[in-house]
Amino acid sequence: MYPKKELAQLVISACHQFNIDTVVISPGSRNAPLTIGFVNHPDIETLSVVDERCAAFFAMGIAQQKQKPVAMICSSGSALLNYYPAIAEAFYSNIPLVVISADRPKHLIDIGDGQTIRQENVFENHILFSANLIEAENQLINNTNLLNEALQNAVFKKGPIHINVPFDEPLYETIDTLKKFDFPSIIKTASEPFVDYQKLSEIWNSSSKKMILVGSNFPDESLQEILNEFAIDESVLILTETTSNLYHPKFINAIDKLIFPLTKTDFTTFKPEVLITLGGMVISKKIKQILRKAKPLHHWHIDLFKAMDTYQCLSEFIQEKPVVFLDKLIIETQKSVSKYQQNWLKINQEREIQHKNYLEVCEYSDLKAFEAILKVIPNYSQLQISNSSIIRYSQLFNLNNTLRVFCNRGTSGIDGSTSTAIGAAFVDKQQTTFITGDLSFFYDSNALWNTNIKTNFRIIILNNAGGGIFRFIPGPLTTNAANYFETPHSLTAQHLSKMHGFDYIAVSNLEELTIGLNDFYTKSAQPKIMEIFTPKEINDVVLKNYFKNL
């Protein structure tokens, strides 16, 4: 059973040719031709998620793990607008999403027809390409070309594209066969970038202080291997973030722990002559502040798509895969005599001792709970982390180097973290743990309204009864509007857990937490939620004292 509408068949054929094998569908009537077609396609898996905002982040989590486009389909009207937060996140995180929206034909727009808005180009500020199709017999070539260009952008430029598909009624007519359409060959048209390796290697070899800073990054063995080689050079300091998925004894994996206590005097010795950046968005606000004040003489950003001048001193944008660039650069480099790496690794070791000493005596709090959580996450599993204070706590710990770690850092919003984690867990055969704050969890609570959640999925909620980060950052508590920043509440996840079929456990002290974690990862018939209640009044005090102790 396939849709009778040729335009729907054309869209389905295009997605199949571009190797899209997963489609997330939200209910509606105007999208019926697409729904019927995708559901009955033998090579495409379809998943139903009611809430479009959650559906989009769920699809993004799948695309994040598969590293290939995932499509999502919605009805016309405001349904489409609910996709926007995930589209913005995918745009800045280089995640390929194929947004397919059903629409009314143009003669029904702005005349008072129901579920009708101006859908064409609605995402123009955060989309790689918008294909506005037309349902008419003489538009086949135009529609085919638009679909081809849109899907090539999603595949090769790694980001979201929007296909708007207008359908006139009737919507539910079906036929027995799916027509095959011919699309132009899928060819990458980008030209080979020119990189002056001789010039760059001369700068590199004449410098005694070089820094490589890696932001969010999908696990990559080749990148790991080449960075291991760079770490042999004692003039090279490599800083990797929680989400970089890179580990080595000579890498600084907990950047904030190292740099938070630095004074302006220290900036001079920390400042590199050459800074190489790669990967996605950087979490550490402190590293941005330091490198913007103590600017390196040369900043080279390596990325296929975006020239990120994060430190406001970009001198070279090298539009190449980082591993390709580094492989070629290292051939031309010479190891330097320098104490740059050694000095900062020594300071890092001292910080680690202070870190451990403080955690041995500090009170039960978010920080102490985070330490306990990280100790029991299963090896070789996936860790998804929500934004705000949770991801920042992770920056203080040396994580288990077998973990694969992810966070929505494109826009750094709290809005879809749970939905993304559920999508990522759906395609991962290994265990997935999602650590989140209370506001992020409740904000995205519709994420649990999803029949595709695996039984080995685990959610850990740090509930400090409000936005704990606003007690730590300077400013909010000095105003008379603190409650509007913190959002104090007395909510718990207990009833949500029951309604959505999760096993639930609540803990309120370190002893209960330790006991609860003992069997949290044992096999179960249902996914599990652990809600950890921490003392709101002392969390910020504990964290501030932690940094003083460093």
Side-chain angles (χ1 to χ4, degrees):
M1 193 178 283
Y2 295 104
K4 186 176 181 180
K5 287 186 174 295
E6 183 180 74
L7 186 56
Q9 292 215 10
L10 180 68
V11 172
I12 294 161
S13 180
C15 289
H16 182 240
Q17 178 164 326
F18 278 83
N19 198 29
I20 293 169
D21 55 15
T22 306
V23 179
V24 179
I25 302 173
S26 293
S29 184
R30 189 60 51 169
N31 56 336
L34 295 166
T35 300
I36 292 166
F38 279 112
V39 165
N40 286 286
H41 198 290
D43 299 327
I44 295 175
E45 180 178 31
T46 52
L47 307 164
S48 176
V49 179
V50 176
D51 184 319
E52 284 88 3
R53 189 180 74 185
C54 297
F57 278 107
F58 175 70
M60 194 183 75
I62 297 173
Q64 175 200 82
Q65 294 300 305
K66 284 193 168 188
Q67 296 284 284
K68 61 181 287 190
V70 170
M72 51 209 201
I73 298 171
C74 70
S75 188
S76 63
S78 61
L80 175 62
L81 301 183
N82 288 294
Y83 281 163
Y84 211 148
I87 288 169
E89 175 64 36
F91 180 78
Y92 287 108
S93 292
N94 297 329
I95 295 177
L97 285 182
V98 176
V99 180
I100 307 175
S101 58
D103 196 2
R104 257 70 169 170
K106 282 193 175 183
H107 68 271
L108 295 179
I109 306 298
D110 288 341
I111 66 165
D113 211 38
Q115 285 186 266
T116 306
I117 64 170
R118 300 171 189 175
Q119 293 183 198
E120 292 188 358
N121 306 316
V122 73
F123 305 120
E124 62 180 340
N125 288 331
H126 299 96
I127 207 81
L128 296 182
F129 190 86
S130 294
N132 298 301
L133 309 186
I134 300 173
E135 189 179 32
E137 290 184 4
N138 64 348
Q139 291 295 317
L140 178 60
I141 294 176
N142 177 60
N143 289 335
T144 301
N145 290 337
L146 285 171
L147 284 167
N148 183 68
E149 188 169 357
L151 290 167
Q152 289 222 32
N153 270 276
V155 171
F156 295 121
K157 293 187 179 180
K158 305 294 182 187
I161 57 100
H162 177 207
I163 301 169
N164 194 58
V165 195
F167 292 123
D168 212 342
E169 295 184 0
L171 302 170
Y172 294 90
E173 291 183 318
T174 59
I175 56 176
D176 295 333
T177 57
L178 184 65
K179 186 177 178 180
K180 184 177 179 181
F181 296 87
D182 293 325
F183 288 85
S185 299
I186 304 172
I187 301 171
K188 185 175 181 181
T189 57
S191 58
E192 192 74 19
F194 171 74
V195 180
D196 191 342
Y197 285 98
Q198 181 178 348
K199 182 187 82 170
L200 297 181
S201 62
E202 286 174 1
I203 294 171
W204 182 270
N205 291 332
S206 64
S207 303
S208 60
K209 294 164 62 179
K210 281 99 75 172
M211 180 184 293
I212 300 176
L213 173 57
V214 188
S216 59
N217 180 70
F218 195 80
D220 186 335
E221 288 185 14
S222 297
L223 183 59
Q224 176 76 63
E225 289 172 4
I226 188 63
L227 286 175
N228 290 351
E229 290 187 47
F230 273 94
I232 298 171
D233 188 336
E234 57 192 26
S235 68
V236 179
L237 183 66
I238 300 178
L239 307 181
T240 60
E241 292 217 304
T242 298
T243 53
S244 72
N245 290 294
L246 297 163
Y247 305 94
H248 189 278
K250 287 188 175 182
F251 294 178
I252 307 290
N253 293 119
I255 300 175
D256 285 351
K257 184 168 60 184
L258 172 69
I259 66 175
F260 212 93
L262 297 186
T263 64
K264 288 184 179 180
T265 305
D266 298 322
F267 291 178
T268 304
T269 54
F270 183 72
K271 168 186 170 180
E273 296 164 88
V274 178
L275 170 67
I276 292 181
T277 56
L278 54 113
M281 298 293 188
V282 169
I283 298 162
S284 173
K285 186 176 181 179
K286 190 71 174 177
I287 194 69
K288 295 174 189 175
Q289 291 173 336
I290 291 175
L291 292 176
R292 285 170 186 168
K293 290 176 182 176
K295 298 182 188 299
L297 299 176
H298 308 276
H299 173 204
W300 309 338
H301 184 65
I302 323 301
D303 190 270
L304 273 174
F305 308 111
K306 296 186 177 92
M308 301 297 287
D309 190 11
T310 304
Y311 310 100
Q312 300 164 355
C313 58
L314 186 65
S315 53
E316 296 281 347
F317 169 45
I318 299 162
Q319 202 165 0
E320 182 61 275
K321 285 185 178 180
V323 69
V324 172
F325 170 76
L326 294 173
D327 274 336
K328 292 179 179 178
L329 178 66
I330 202 166
I331 295 172
E332 308 293 333
T333 62
Q334 301 166 3
K335 294 180 177 60
S336 302
V337 177
S338 171
K339 292 185 178 180
Y340 183 57
Q341 181 192 90
Q342 179 186 343
N343 288 343
W344 287 104
L345 288 178
K346 182 180 178 182
I347 293 170
N348 193 55
Q349 290 172 351
E350 293 168 358
R351 298 273 199 267
E352 184 62 25
I353 293 170
Q354 294 297 98
H355 168 91
K356 291 178 179 178
N357 289 343
Y358 183 80
L359 281 166
E360 285 179 3
V361 299
C362 84
E363 299 172 78
Y364 174 71
S365 56
D366 283 349
L367 182 67
K368 189 68 176 174
F370 214 94
E371 179 193 32
I373 294 165
L374 292 177
K375 286 180 178 178
V376 299
I377 296 174
N379 289 339
Y380 302 101
S381 65
Q382 179 184 167
L383 174 59
Q384 291 273 340
I385 305 177
S386 75
N387 274 303
S388 198
S389 59
I390 301 300
I391 189 63
R392 297 190 186 283
Y393 275 118
S394 75
Q395 293 276 97
L396 305 177
F397 293 86
N398 293 319
L399 270 59
N400 178 341
N401 63 13
T402 70
L403 300 179
R404 290 162 290 118
V405 187
F406 302 92
C407 176
N408 289 351
R409 291 306 296 180
T411 62
S412 306
I414 67 167
D415 38 2
S417 296
T418 311
S419 297
T420 304
I422 291 170
F426 178 77
V427 295
D428 197 335
K429 295 179 181 179
Q430 303 299 320
Q431 176 75 58
T432 299
T433 301
F434 173 54
I435 307 176
T436 181
D438 49 339
L439 292 189
S440 181
F441 174 78
F442 291 122
Y443 195 93
D444 194 25
S445 59
N446 260 8
L448 305 187
W449 188 12
N450 188 325
T451 58
N452 307 294
I453 301 175
K454 296 170 70 174
T455 58
N456 70 344
F457 184 59
R458 300 290 182 266
I459 298 177
I460 298 175
I461 307 166
L462 282 171
N463 189 336
N464 52 33
I469 195 169
F470 293 104
R471 285 181 162 258
F472 182 75
I473 61 177
L477 293 182
T478 66
T479 74
N480 63 353
N483 283 355
Y484 293 88
F485 294 107
E486 282 193 281
T487 320
H489 65 85
S490 57
L491 299 174
T492 81
Q494 182 175 4
H495 297 295
L496 279 170
S497 301
K498 183 178 180 181
M499 181 169 73
H500 292 292
F502 277 70
D503 287 341
Y504 173 81
I505 179 174
V507 301
S508 299
N509 56 57
L510 190 58
E511 183 180 3
E512 291 176 355
L513 175 58
T514 303
I515 294 170
L517 287 171
N518 282 339
D519 63 352
F520 187 60
Y521 290 99
T522 57
K523 191 174 181 180
S524 60
Q526 295 177 305
K528 295 181 182 180
I529 290 176
M530 174 181 285
E531 189 166 20
I532 304 169
F533 294 94
T534 60
K536 174 181 179 179
E537 296 76 14
I538 72 163
N539 279 320
D540 61 314
V541 176
V542 169
L543 191 56
K544 287 173 183 176
N545 286 337
Y546 169 83
F547 286 115
K548 288 179 184 177
N549 184 72
L550 290 178

Coordinates of all heavy atoms in Angstrom, one line a residue, residues 73 114 215 219 235 324 338 394 483-484 512 548:
I73 N 9.1 13.5 9.9 CA 8.0 14.0 9.2 C 6.9 14.5 10.1 O 6.6 13.9 11.2 CB 7.4 12.8 8.4 CG1 8.4 12.3 7.3 CG2 6.1 13.2 7.7 CD1 8.0 11.0 6.7
G114 N -7.4 26.0 8.4 CA -6.9 25.5 9.7 C -5.5 24.9 9.5 O -5.1 24.5 8.5
G215 N 37.4 20.2 21.0 CA 36.1 20.3 21.5 C 35.3 19.0 21.3 O 35.9 17.9 21.3
P219 N 33.9 9.6 18.6 CA 35.1 8.7 18.8 C 35.7 8.4 17.4 O 35.0 8.0 16.5 CB 34.4 7.5 19.4 CG 33.2 8.0 20.2 CD 32.7 9.1 19.3
S235 N 56.9 20.2 23.5 CA 56.5 21.6 23.4 C 55.0 21.7 23.1 O 54.4 22.7 22.9 CB 57.2 22.2 22.2 OG 56.9 21.7 21.0
V324 N 43.3 14.4 8.6 CA 44.1 14.5 7.4 C 45.1 15.6 7.5 O 46.3 15.4 7.2 CB 43.1 14.8 6.2 CG1 43.9 15.1 4.9 CG2 42.2 13.6 5.9
S338 N 61.6 21.8 25.1 CA 60.7 22.8 25.8 C 60.2 22.1 27.1 O 60.1 20.9 27.2 CB 59.5 23.1 24.9 OG 58.5 23.8 25.6
S394 N 31.1 17.5 34.9 CA 31.8 16.5 34.3 C 33.2 16.9 33.9 O 34.2 16.1 33.8 CB 31.1 16.0 33.0 OG 31.2 16.9 32.0
N483 N 14.5 34.0 42.3 CA 13.5 32.9 42.1 C 13.2 32.8 40.6 O 12.8 31.7 40.2 CB 12.3 33.1 42.9 CG 12.4 32.8 44.3 OD1 13.5 32.3 44.7 ND2 11.4 33.0 45.1
Y484 N 13.4 33.8 39.8 CA 13.1 33.8 38.4 C 14.3 33.2 37.6 O 14.1 32.8 36.5 CB 12.7 35.1 37.9 CG 11.3 35.6 38.4 CD1 11.3 36.3 39.6 CD2 10.1 35.3 37.8 CE1 10.0 36.7 40.2 CE2 8.9 35.7 38.3 CZ 8.9 36.4 39.5 OH 7.7 36.8 40.1
E512 N 22.5 6.1 50.9 CA 21.4 5.6 50.0 C 21.9 5.6 48.5 O 21.5 4.7 47.8 CB 20.2 6.5 50.1 CG 19.5 6.4 51.5 CD 18.4 7.4 51.6 OE1 18.2 8.3 50.7 OE2 17.7 7.4 52.6
K548 N 38.5 27.0 45.5 CA 39.4 27.6 46.4 C 40.5 26.6 46.8 O 41.7 26.9 46.9 CB 38.7 28.1 47.7 CG 37.9 29.4 47.4 CD 37.2 29.8 48.7 CE 36.2 31.0 48.4 NZ 35.5 31.4 49.7

